[in-house]
Amino acid sequence: WYSGLGLRYDEIYADYELYQKSCGTEEEKNSIKRLIGDYLEIKDFVNAEKWIRQLSEHYGDEDTEVQQYQGLWNEIQNCLEEIRRSINGKEHIVVNWVDALRYDELSNMEYLCRQVQSGINFERMYTPTPYTNAVMKALIAGKYIIDDKAFMMTQDDYKDGKLWKYLESHGYQFAISSPVFWKGSFYNSNCGIMQYSYEERAWVPSTVVQFDAICRLYEAKERCFYIIHNLGETHQPNSNPLTPTEKKWSGSDLLQLIQDRMGQIIQSQKYLDGQLQYYGRFYQDIRCNIYMSDHGFFRKEEPICIEGYHHVVFSICSKGVQGRNIQTMFSLVSFTELVEKILEGDLSGLNKIHDKDYVLIERDDVYGQGLCRSLKKDRRRVDLSFIQYRGIVTKEDSFVRLATGKEFYFRNDESENLRDDERYKERIDYLRSLAGNKYINIYKEKKYQEAVKLYQYKDWHVSEDIEFIE
């Protein structure tokens, strides 16, 4: 069982560099053995097997150490096969949550793209609030961060969420393996790493999380609704063991850092894709698999990145269900209703769950001390990315109003803010009425005391025209 941070990807890459330097020397064999150990420790069995083969090809099957590693690998394979046979055929539901994957970057992950397209693919799924913690609240409680005061929820409140209660009433145990969410009595996860900072936890390999999940599913005595949260490869720092990772992922110029590192970002997405394909075989024949992302991330200097942040991946792959595309506008707030349809065994009429031709989006102000300090330093970072806002997204356009009163109106490609274009005045007025005018009073809520300091530093001012939720 995994009980700490363990190896980081950059440490494995450092060992790979040592191997490259050792080629042709007496140290080469030890370098290969070290890499085998590295990959076994993080439960990356794909690359562990690759280096065991490398050892065999280089030193021959008659070598005593080669035979020992081959014997070890056979034992591991037998163990994994037992786990695979035990899980498949059960009535589990597995949700593979890929963090910070933009919808328009799904094509970088070939296996995941095939899985999404083979199922019921929600082409217009949007996250109500584009960061991880808020998305969990939307999934479990079906609540908006502002309108439903989900910003006040703690993890102790999750058991009262409608998804939790529904699963419990239908004989399903809620479980999650994640490097982010707290290990508590209701989280059946053994990734005991919460004593570390978020930035440190972001380095935890998804293979560790995947292995934790299949071991828990193997041990499960009842049906599980299991969320597997894959983080560090697709979220910053976008790390993987095959390319060097820039350790600094916040600070003076995050925008430039992301633009400079797009090659690594794509490489990390592809690495995770290969691991999803490997681990997918352990739960490919269960009641249902759901593939989703929670939010996106900006890739260029944009005033406010609605599509990039809010448009997410979501697909339901269930036994006996033919793949199809659903083009209706959808929100992750309706997640429980989708799960209800899965357990009812009726996946027809899914497009009727969300009966509006738009989705509501909301964001509260950034509140974490570390991030607020980072934004103060980041002179080029677009200020509007972390100000409280609410808005509406349709298939044709989008509207957002910030707590400062500034408004944005975009048509399709978001290339230009058309807020002051008289041709769209009536349309903007309509979308504004749908979006609503209620905001969180950050001067009253202690949670946002760092946001207040950020406002003061940036000389931002809350609009006098907005209303505060009670």
Side-chain angles (χ1 to χ4, degrees):
W1 289 110
Y2 188 77
S3 59
L5 267 177
L7 278 176
R8 290 161 41 132
Y9 282 144
D10 57 336
E11 294 174 310
I12 299 176
Y13 185 78
D15 283 344
Y16 175 69
E17 289 184 309
L18 290 176
Y19 158 75
Q20 290 181 309
K21 293 176 182 178
S22 72
C23 287
T25 72
E26 294 181 357
E27 188 59 28
E28 182 176 359
K29 190 175 189 181
N30 286 333
S31 295
I32 296 175
K33 288 161 55 179
R34 187 181 300 114
L35 284 168
I36 294 171
D38 287 350
Y39 283 113
L40 287 177
E41 180 169 339
I42 69 167
K43 311 304 183 291
D44 176 350
F45 299 110
V46 175
N47 281 294
E49 182 181 23
K50 167 190 167 183
W51 286 104
I52 290 174
R53 287 202 309 268
Q54 175 84 351
L55 191 70
S56 175
E57 291 170 4
H58 201 76
Y59 296 97
D61 292 340
E62 301 303 317
D63 183 272
T64 302
E65 287 188 301
V66 169
Q67 292 176 354
Q68 290 175 340
Y69 275 97
Q70 289 174 336
L72 170 65
W73 183 246
N74 289 335
E75 290 181 23
I76 291 172
Q77 288 298 97
N78 291 337
C79 177
L80 292 173
E81 179 60 20
E82 180 183 344
I83 293 173
R84 187 193 69 82
R85 288 198 306 267
S86 175
I87 296 172
N88 278 309
K90 301 288 179 62
E91 288 295 295
H92 301 307
I93 297 174
V94 168
V95 180
N96 255 296
W97 173 336
V98 180
D99 208 290
L101 178 64
R102 292 168 58 117
Y103 182 83
D104 60 5
E105 293 182 359
L106 173 61
S107 58
N108 292 338
M109 304 177 70
E110 294 182 7
Y111 168 77
L112 181 59
C113 191
R114 289 197 304 272
Q115 294 300 103
V116 167
Q117 293 175 350
S118 69
I120 302 175
N121 177 22
F122 290 74
E123 293 185 335
R124 289 284 183 173
M125 180 66 80
Y126 286 80
T127 182
T129 305
Y131 66 88
T132 302
N133 191 34
V135 172
M136 179 60 85
K137 295 173 181 179
L139 297 182
I140 291 184
K143 290 184 176 182
Y144 288 97
I145 200 73
I146 298 176
D147 282 359
D148 299 317
K149 300 183 181 180
F151 71 92
M152 300 177 69
M153 286 182 64
T154 68
Q155 292 192 5
D156 291 335
D157 299 322
Y158 288 176
K159 283 188 177 180
D160 295 324
K162 61 179 182 179
L163 174 64
W164 188 285
K165 289 183 175 180
Y166 182 81
L167 291 171
E168 195 174 53
S169 67
H170 284 73
Y172 272 84
Q173 178 185 7
F174 179 90
I176 181 171
S177 289
S178 168
V180 175
F181 295 104
W182 193 262
K183 179 190 174 187
S185 60
F186 55 88
Y187 283 134
N188 188 14
S189 169
N190 205 38
C191 293
I193 56 176
M194 301 310 297
Q195 66 269 33
Y196 300 97
S197 71
Y198 183 96
E199 187 163 336
E200 289 174 316
R201 283 182 269 136
W203 289 86
V204 175
S206 288
T207 47
V208 168
V209 180
Q210 289 280 340
F211 185 74
D212 182 65
I214 64 170
C215 289
R216 291 294 178 180
L217 287 167
Y218 172 74
E219 294 176 339
K221 303 301 182 184
E222 55 186 306
R223 298 180 297 180
C224 288
F225 182 92
Y226 211 116
I227 295 177
I228 307 176
H229 183 202
N230 308 279
L231 176 70
E233 295 81 8
T234 47
H235 192 286
Q236 295 164 299
N238 303 104
S239 54
N240 71 78
L242 309 178
T243 56
T245 300
E246 170 61 58
K247 294 183 181 180
K248 181 182 178 183
W249 58 281
S250 63
S252 59
D253 200 343
L254 184 56
L255 174 64
Q256 188 61 49
L257 182 61
I258 287 174
Q259 292 175 341
D260 292 345
R261 293 174 54 220
M262 275 308 299
Q264 182 187 315
I265 289 171
I266 294 172
Q267 180 70 30
S268 294
Q269 291 171 343
K270 291 183 179 298
Y271 172 78
L272 175 59
D273 190 58
Q275 299 302 327
L276 291 176
Q277 182 171 10
Y278 177 83
Y279 276 96
R281 67 194 182 98
F282 289 94
Y283 40 77
Q284 65 184 5
D285 186 27
I286 57 175
R287 180 164 188 170
C288 183
N289 278 281
I290 297 174
Y291 298 92
M292 62 165 283
S293 60
D294 55 351
H295 62 85
F297 210 77
F298 68 89
R299 294 289 184 244
K300 58 184 179 179
E301 194 157 4
E302 299 162 302
I304 190 162
C305 187
I306 298 174
E307 280 292 314
Y309 273 127
H310 288 271
H311 194 182
V312 296
V313 174
F314 194 91
S315 181
I316 298 172
C317 301
S318 189
K319 288 181 181 179
V321 174
Q322 187 173 2
R324 63 182 186 275
N325 294 329
I326 291 184
Q327 298 178 349
T328 308
M329 297 295 292
F330 245 96
S331 172
L332 287 177
V333 168
S334 301
F335 184 70
T336 299
E337 286 75 9
L338 292 172
V339 173
E340 289 174 1
K341 297 288 283 185
I342 292 171
L343 294 187
E344 289 169 2
D346 179 13
L347 291 175
S348 62
L350 292 177
N351 59 335
K352 296 178 182 178
I353 290 176
H354 187 87
D355 59 358
K356 298 180 176 63
D357 61 357
Y358 64 86
V359 293
L360 173 67
I361 58 174
E362 300 180 346
R363 182 179 183 119
D364 56 339
D365 284 286
V366 58
Y367 53 84
Q369 186 180 66
L371 186 51
C372 286
R373 289 178 178 175
S374 173
L375 290 172
K376 287 181 181 179
K377 298 177 184 178
D378 196 343
R379 297 290 184 179
R380 285 194 60 203
R381 181 67 177 272
V382 180
D383 291 340
L384 308 180
S385 299
F386 290 95
I387 295 180
Q388 186 177 178
Y389 63 76
R390 35 185 324 124
I392 294 294
V393 181
T394 77
K395 289 182 180 180
E396 294 79 28
D397 54 6
S398 55
F399 168 85
V400 162
R401 189 182 193 210
L402 309 179
T404 58
K406 188 171 180 63
E407 295 181 339
F408 294 85
Y409 175 70
F410 297 110
R411 303 288 298 181
N412 291 326
D413 62 0
E414 300 185 1
S415 60
E416 182 182 3
N417 182 12
L418 301 171
R419 162 63 180 81
D420 297 323
D421 193 320
E422 286 297 320
R423 294 176 297 170
Y424 303 110
K425 183 180 184 305
E426 185 175 337
R427 177 66 175 174
I428 292 171
D429 289 343
Y430 170 67
L431 295 179
R432 186 187 297 114
S433 68
L434 293 177
N437 195 38
K438 297 281 189 179
Y439 293 79
I440 301 166
N441 187 345
I442 62 172
Y443 299 98
K444 179 181 176 182
E445 301 292 340
K446 290 183 179 180
K447 177 178 180 177
Y448 298 98
Q449 58 186 357
E450 292 296 326
V452 172
K453 295 176 185 177
L454 183 63
Y455 269 60
Q456 293 170 346
Y457 181 84
K458 295 281 192 179
D459 197 26
W460 297 338
H461 302 279
V462 173
S463 171
E464 296 179 356
D465 296 330
I466 68 172
E467 302 174 32
F468 293 125
I469 57 172
E470 297 297 331

